[in-house]
Each structure stands twice: as structure tokens, then as C-alpha cells.
Amino acid sequence: MFDPVIAPSGTLLGLLQRGRGDGTLHALTAPRSEALAALNHCVTHDPRHDWQVENRSLYYARLYLDLHGELDAVEAHLFDPEDVLDTDESRTGLALAVLGHLASYGRRDALDLLRRYAAHGTNWAWALDELALRDDDAGLRALAAPVLARFTTDAEGEAELAATVRDAFEPRPWRLWADDPRESVATRVRAAQEAGSFDRWQRQMRPTGPRPGWSVQAVFEWAQQGVERGAALHVPAARCLTAVAGPEDRPEIVRAAQDGTEGARCTALRYLADSNDPDALDLIEGAVTTGSTAVVEAAVDAFERMRSLAAVDRARGWARRPDPLGAAAGRVLACRGGVQDRDLVLAALREAVRGEGPDAPTLWTLVDGAGRLGIACAAPVLRHVYRETASSHLRGRAARALAATDPSYGTGFAVECLWDCEESTREVAARHAETGDTRVVERLRRLAADPAEEAEVQTAVRSRIGPEETAV
């Protein structure tokens, strides 16, 4: 999947793509046709950089309800000829998840569209999962025949069916079909269930990887084999060293950390850092200077995992380095530094935004650190990250940091955060938004009464308003 093109944050499309609360508020005051066009674009062109963890489906579904939006564009997207050519579930997953939420809200057209796609679409398994949570038994039984028809009755087809049943995210349809009164359906599904269970048992009986009794050198060789076939194994290899290495093996491990093969060096650095070895910090610094890209990344990652006072003290000395170790030092101080490290964390935050932009991965930790340390003068940078980042998770972290550093948060961004796409951001807003704004009170009431809202958000809402105020 290609990285999505995100519109400027000041546009309606850009706001909706980011999942910002202001997107909903602007859409409700914009011409309906313009708002629906932007909404349809978002649903049919997934704007998330990480579609597996960022939330948008409930956010978009609620906006369809508020706009009384039709689903013609979603239907055209699902049944486009591209559906056969592009089988990646990320093409249609967002649209199907939006339909699932709409079905939960009672939209019959969304339920019917899900049923049709489950019967005929390429990403049918996702649609079936959505229906498993929302459809009745009769609706699911009607899908048994078209779903089973996707699998041939030869050995290869039955094996594929067994794997599908075994790996199903929502088992309800398959359990229902296993008890189907049609013998042809029930017999085939039960056989697939049994085959899948047997396959899982066989895989558990055939473990791969390290065995008891391995030597330190054998672990290093296994890690290097992973490097040669493109698999990074140094993390599990380091855990293996914990089991097989003794005090007498330390010189060999230190030598590997200094000049071993790439796999051995990454493994040794991870092991020594996790063990708080007295030479670990020096070896990490040397690896950053002389190692390959993979070794540098492993060394930096190992350093960030260290919890000792010595590691924090070394981070203070490394924080101004213009290299990956300097960036890692800033993150270590953000996580474990004290109030005396505020200036270093703030400098790292500003440098990251200036050098890498508002979507830099390092910002996740630095933004959290700014909030944890209560760096009030970081608020302007945090507001910039909040507005501009395309990551709804990073925006949520910025919102939490602003709640701890910006006195204006309760009357500013907290208000729009009540409409944010991420439930954790809505929860923060529910705890901090000033109720002097009539929009806040009305939104809190609606969230409290919405059965689709997350329990944590509703708990936060009810801490702000009494039970008598939640009725709609």
C-alpha cells in the first residue's frame, strides 16, 4: 500500500483525513455536498499511515449519520473492478469497518451492502467478521453457501478452507454453520474445524529455532543465519543467551559486541544492555561509530531499553550528539530523566520537528516526555504537532501533553478532541474540556448515551456530568 496523500491541515479534507474533531465540526457547517465528497474520499482512499492501529471507522460512520449520507460511493468502491485486481485488504478494510458501525446504528442499507460484499467481494472475510458482530443468525446462515462455494472440494480447496476456519478472527459464523441443518454445509465446516485444530497441534509439536543445550556460539550462528535470509533474530537470540550463557562466556560475548558478525554483534549488544553489563554503554557507543546500519539500530534500541542510573547519566552527555545515539539519548531522558533534563528534552523535541517534521517517529516519545516533565514552554511545539501530524495516535499523545503543559487546553483543543477519531483522545478531552461551552455539555451527553462509545470514554464523561444529565 502506497503512503496516502494528505491534504493541508487547514482544509476540510485534511482535517477529516487526520481524524481531527474539527473535521466533524467543519463538515457539519459546510455545504452538505462538499462535506460528503470529502467524507467519501476518506473512506474510499484510506488516509491512515498505519491502517492496522489508527482509528477512523467510527469517526467516519458517525459523520455519515450526522450528514444523513448515502452509501453510493462506498458501494461503487467495494464493487469496482479493482477489487479483483487489488486483493490487499487495506483497499476495502476501512469502508467495510465503517459499514459495520453504520449497521450497528441501524442503517439497513449498510447491513445489506456488507452481506452482498461478503457473498461476492474479494475481501469477504473482513465483511464476514463485521457481520459476525452485527447480523442475526438468519442473515449469517444465508451466507454459508456463497462463502463455501469459494473453496473447491478437492484436497487443496479443503486445506484452504481448514486454514481459513482456523484463522478466522470472528468464529461465530463458522460455529453457526457447523450446526447448519443442511448436511452438506455442516459436514464440510465441521471437517474444516477438525482439520484446523489438528494442524495447530502439529505446528506446536514442530518448534523451530534454538534448543536446550545450545552454546553461545550456536546462538550467534543462528542470529547470523537470520541476517543472511533477511530476518532479524537478534532479539530472540539475546533471550536465548540469557538461558545458555554463564559468567565464563562473558569475554566471548564482549568480543562479539566489539567485532563479531552482524547477527552476533546485534545479539551481544542486546544481551549486555539487558544485563546492565558495566561495559555495555561503551560498547554501544563504539557500535554506533563503527557498525553497519543494522548494528547501529540494534545498539540504539538496546540503549533505550536500559533503566539504570548510569544509562540516564550517559544520556545527558550524549543528548547533543547529531547522530542516532544523540536522538536516542533525548528519548531516554524523555522517559526517565528528571526536571533537570527539561531543557535537553525540549531541545530534542524542537530539533526533531525542525529536522524531520511533525510525523517523525521519535516524536512519540519526546511528546510524552514533554507532558511527563511538565515543560510549559513546549506548548507551542506541541500545538504545532497536534495540528499538523497525520498520525491520530501522535495527535492524541500531543493532546495529553498539552493537557499537562498548556493552561488553555481545556477551552481550546480539548473541545474539538471530544469529536476526535481516537477514543483515548476523546477520553482526555472528556476529563479536561471546560463545560462552559454549550457544545461540550451536549457532546458529553451524546457520548454518554452512545452504545458504540468505549467504556473508558463514558467513564470519563460520567465523572464530569451527573446521571440525570446523560439522558437524551
Side-chain angles (χ1 to χ4, degrees):
M1 179 180 176
F2 294 105
D3 284 340
V5 177
I6 304 298
S9 61
T11 65
L12 175 58
L13 177 59
L15 290 170
L16 291 179
Q17 286 177 316
R18 289 168 172 80
R20 277 182 57 180
D22 254 7
T24 294
L25 297 175
H26 279 64
L28 295 177
T29 59
R32 182 172 177 273
S33 59
E34 178 185 339
L36 281 175
L39 176 58
N40 287 331
H41 184 278
C42 291
V43 174
T44 58
H45 299 82
D46 194 335
R48 295 170 293 180
H49 282 280
D50 191 342
W51 64 274
Q52 293 179 308
V53 298
E54 291 188 42
N55 295 314
R56 292 290 190 281
S57 54
L58 180 59
Y59 172 84
Y60 293 142
R62 284 171 167 169
L63 188 51
Y64 270 115
L65 292 176
D66 291 339
L67 294 173
H68 304 286
E70 303 84 4
L71 300 178
D72 296 350
V74 177
E75 180 179 10
H77 173 67
L78 292 178
F79 293 100
D80 189 275
E82 187 71 15
D83 189 54
V84 178
L85 302 175
D86 183 359
T87 59
D88 193 319
E89 61 182 7
S90 64
R91 194 191 80 84
T92 53
L94 177 58
L96 295 171
V98 169
L99 292 178
H101 284 300
L102 288 173
S104 293
Y105 282 118
R107 286 281 296 259
R108 180 67 189 218
D109 53 346
L111 182 65
D112 291 341
L113 195 49
L114 276 174
R115 288 171 173 172
R116 278 183 54 209
Y117 190 81
H120 305 291
T122 297
N123 192 14
W124 62 271
W126 191 313
L128 186 61
D129 285 340
E130 297 290 341
L131 290 167
L133 300 173
R134 283 117 179 164
D135 209 351
D136 55 28
D137 287 356
L140 290 175
R141 285 197 183 98
L143 290 171
V147 168
L148 291 178
R150 295 175 179 275
F151 304 92
T152 59
T153 56
D154 58 13
E156 183 179 350
E158 296 299 350
E160 184 182 353
L161 175 60
T164 300
V165 174
R166 181 195 68 213
D167 299 333
F169 190 74
E170 294 291 345
R172 181 184 164 218
W174 301 103
R175 291 173 179 168
L176 190 66
W177 298 341
D179 296 326
D180 196 282
R182 293 165 291 183
E183 191 63 28
S184 60
V185 171
T187 300
R188 197 173 181 200
V189 173
R190 283 198 296 268
Q193 288 175 328
E194 292 172 2
S197 297
F198 181 70
D199 180 60
R200 186 180 293 110
W201 174 79
Q202 281 189 315
R203 288 193 294 176
Q204 292 171 346
M205 296 297 291
R206 295 193 302 265
T208 59
R211 301 284 195 278
W214 270 29
S215 66
V216 168
Q217 185 57 38
V219 173
F220 286 153
E221 291 173 357
W222 179 64
Q224 183 58 27
Q225 290 168 8
V227 171
E228 292 168 358
R229 64 173 186 267
L233 298 177
H234 65 275
V235 174
R239 290 198 294 267
C240 292
L241 280 186
T242 302
V244 306
E248 70 280 3
D249 296 306
R250 182 179 179 275
E252 180 181 0
I253 297 172
V254 170
R255 284 195 301 272
Q258 291 170 329
D259 56 13
T261 64
E262 186 173 288
R265 199 171 186 187
C266 293
T267 301
L269 288 166
R270 178 74 168 225
Y271 169 80
L272 293 170
D274 286 353
S275 305
N276 279 321
D277 187 278
D279 290 332
L281 291 167
D282 290 334
L283 290 167
I284 286 170
E285 186 173 19
V288 170
T289 303
T290 64
S292 65
T293 300
V295 169
V296 171
E297 291 176 354
V300 166
D301 184 57
F303 169 57
E304 289 192 62
R305 290 171 52 84
M306 298 182 73
R307 299 293 188 270
S308 65
L309 294 177
V312 175
D313 188 60
R314 190 70 68 96
R316 295 183 178 117
W318 287 344
R320 299 191 188 280
R321 289 177 56 136
D323 63 3
L325 190 55
R331 294 191 292 270
V332 167
L333 294 177
C335 292
R336 292 180 284 282
V339 293
Q340 70 270 32
D341 301 310
R342 286 175 172 173
D343 289 344
L344 291 174
V345 174
L346 177 59
L349 176 65
R350 287 171 170 166
E351 180 59 30
V353 172
R354 183 165 49 243
E356 302 179 59
D359 291 310
T362 191
L363 286 176
W364 291 50
T365 304
L366 295 174
V367 164
D368 285 350
R372 183 182 73 85
L373 295 172
I375 307 176
C377 53
V381 183
L382 294 172
R383 287 194 289 266
H384 174 76
V385 172
Y386 176 95
R387 292 189 190 97
E388 299 301 328
T389 182
S391 167
S392 54
H393 277 196
L394 178 54
R395 182 176 65 251
R397 288 171 181 258
R400 287 190 290 276
L402 284 167
T405 60
D406 187 357
S408 69
Y409 175 72
T411 55
F413 284 138
V415 177
E416 73 154 280
C417 284
L418 290 170
W419 282 265
D420 197 87
C421 67
E422 297 290 343
E423 63 266 19
S424 58
T425 307
R426 296 195 297 275
E427 180 185 354
V428 172
R431 297 188 185 281
H432 292 89
E434 293 291 341
T435 54
D437 189 325
T438 56
R439 294 177 302 169
V440 170
V441 176
E442 179 57 35
R443 183 60 175 173
L444 290 175
R445 288 173 178 164
R446 182 170 177 179
L447 292 176
D450 190 338
E453 189 51 80
E454 296 291 334
E456 293 82 358
V457 178
Q458 293 191 327
T459 298
V461 168
R462 288 170 182 141
S463 71
R464 302 293 306 283
I465 60 178
E468 70 282 357
E469 296 180 84
T470 63
V472 292

